[in-house]
Amino acid sequence: KRAMSAVKFQRLAARAIAGIAGRRKVPFLVGGTAFWVDTVAYGLRLPEVRPDPALRKRLAAKSATALLAILKKLDPARAESIEQKNPRRLIRAIEIASALGRVPHLVKHSMFDTLWFGLKPSYEVGLHKMVERVDKMLRRGLVAETKKLLASGVSKKRIRELGFEYRAALDYIEGEIPSRAPLEKKFLTGRAALSARLARDTRAYAKRQMRWWKRNRDIHWIKNPKEAELRIKTFLQKTA
C-alpha cells in the first residue's frame, strides 16, 4: 500500500475541486483529519523536504515521549503545537527540523472562497455515535483486515502507522490487549476488551481534533439544518 501524505492529499483534493467546479457544482470537503483539511482549504505551503530513510529507521524504535523530547530540542514551538502522541507526525517534524533548522511557519495562500461549518453534537449523541462507529468497525472486519495485511507482507510498523484502530487490532491479534480490561468498574475479556480500547482511543482522538477545530475562528458552529441552509444561500449569492 502507498503511504498518503498531506502534500499528496492537498494536490489530489485541489485537482478534484477543480473538476467539480468545472462542472459548475459546489465542492464539499467533509470531515477527516483537521490538519489535512486545513492544507486544502487554506492552501498551506508545506515544506518540500524529502523523506530521510536512515533518520526514520533510527527514530522508528523510539517512543512518542522520546520523539517529543528530540523535537523540543530542535523546535520547541512545533513541539508545543504538534499532536504529541502521534509517532508518525513527530518523526516527520523531526525530519523537517533536522533539514531546515526548524519546522517553518505555514503560510495561507488559498485560492478558494470557503464556508466553514462545524457540528458539535450533545454528549449523549456523541457517545452514541462513537459506540456505533466502534461496533461498525468490528462488524466490517477490522481484525480480519489487519490479519490480511500481515499475511500480505505489510510490516507491523506500517500497520501501526495506519491509525489507532489498526494499532488496537494488531495489539489484539498479538495478545497485547489485557485479557481482563477494567472499564467503568467492569472487567472485560476478548473482543469486549478490544471494543473498550477502541472506544477509549476514539474519545481521545475526537478530543484532539476538537481542540484543533476550536482554534479556527472561521468555523460557524451550527445548531440545525435551517441555519446551515440560510448561510449556504447567503454565501453562494455573495460568491456567484
Side-chain angles (χ1 to χ4, degrees):
K1 290 181 178 286
R2 291 185 178 181
M4 176 62 75
S5 68
V7 174
K8 290 180 183 176
F9 178 78
Q10 184 185 53
R11 190 181 304 123
L12 292 171
R15 189 184 304 166
I17 289 170
I20 295 168
R23 299 194 298 274
R24 301 185 67 79
K25 301 294 184 181
V26 178
F28 282 71
L29 185 58
V30 182
T33 303
F35 175 68
W36 287 25
V37 172
D38 280 1
T39 65
V40 178
Y42 289 127
L44 299 179
R45 295 186 184 277
L46 302 173
E48 294 288 342
V49 174
R50 286 182 170 276
D52 184 339
L55 177 61
R56 290 188 175 193
K57 187 175 181 180
R58 290 200 303 272
L59 297 174
K62 296 184 181 295
S63 67
T65 302
L67 292 170
L68 182 61
I70 294 171
L71 183 59
K72 281 182 178 178
K73 291 181 180 180
L74 292 169
D75 189 343
R78 181 61 180 131
E80 284 296 318
S81 64
I82 199 170
E83 189 179 331
Q84 298 183 347
K85 294 184 179 181
N86 188 322
R88 188 177 182 186
R89 293 270 174 85
L90 290 164
I91 289 173
R92 180 56 179 163
I94 291 170
E95 193 172 51
I96 293 170
S98 298
L100 303 181
R102 65 180 180 84
V103 180
H105 178 69
L106 299 178
V107 179
K108 299 177 181 180
H109 68 295
S110 180
M111 297 174 61
F112 306 126
D113 290 318
T114 307
L115 176 63
W116 290 82
F117 282 155
L119 304 176
K120 191 176 180 182
S122 66
Y123 175 79
E124 292 75 16
V125 171
L127 185 63
H128 173 74
K129 286 185 175 295
M130 181 200 68
V131 171
E132 193 176 60
R133 181 178 185 272
V134 169
D135 182 59
K136 188 179 292 185
M137 277 192 290
L138 293 175
R139 283 190 287 106
R140 288 182 173 179
L142 174 64
V143 174
E145 182 185 353
T146 306
K147 288 180 178 178
K148 188 176 179 179
L149 289 172
L150 284 169
S152 67
V154 178
S155 70
K156 293 178 183 179
K157 175 179 176 295
R158 178 68 188 117
I159 289 174
R160 292 186 184 282
E161 291 175 346
L162 296 177
F164 68 84
E165 301 94 334
Y166 290 92
R167 287 196 292 274
L170 185 59
D171 285 347
Y172 171 77
I173 291 167
E174 296 190 320
E176 293 183 15
I177 288 183
S179 59
R180 294 173 64 80
L183 180 69
E184 297 175 357
K185 299 182 180 181
K186 297 179 181 178
F187 287 91
L188 307 174
T189 60
R191 286 295 183 101
L194 172 59
S195 180
R197 159 77 176 270
L198 287 168
R200 182 202 71 187
D201 291 352
T202 299
R203 280 197 299 269
Y205 178 75
K207 286 180 180 179
R208 291 196 301 272
Q209 291 289 289
M210 188 55 71
R211 281 197 297 270
W212 181 288
W213 293 125
K214 283 182 177 179
R215 294 183 296 186
N216 186 337
R217 295 184 179 181
D218 293 331
I219 294 177
H220 301 284
W221 295 97
I222 61 172
K223 298 178 181 179
N224 57 68
K226 286 189 176 181
E227 181 186 352
E229 184 179 351
L230 179 61
R231 286 189 179 276
I232 289 172
K233 287 180 177 179
T234 303
F235 174 76
L236 292 177
Q237 288 171 357
K238 288 181 179 179
T239 57

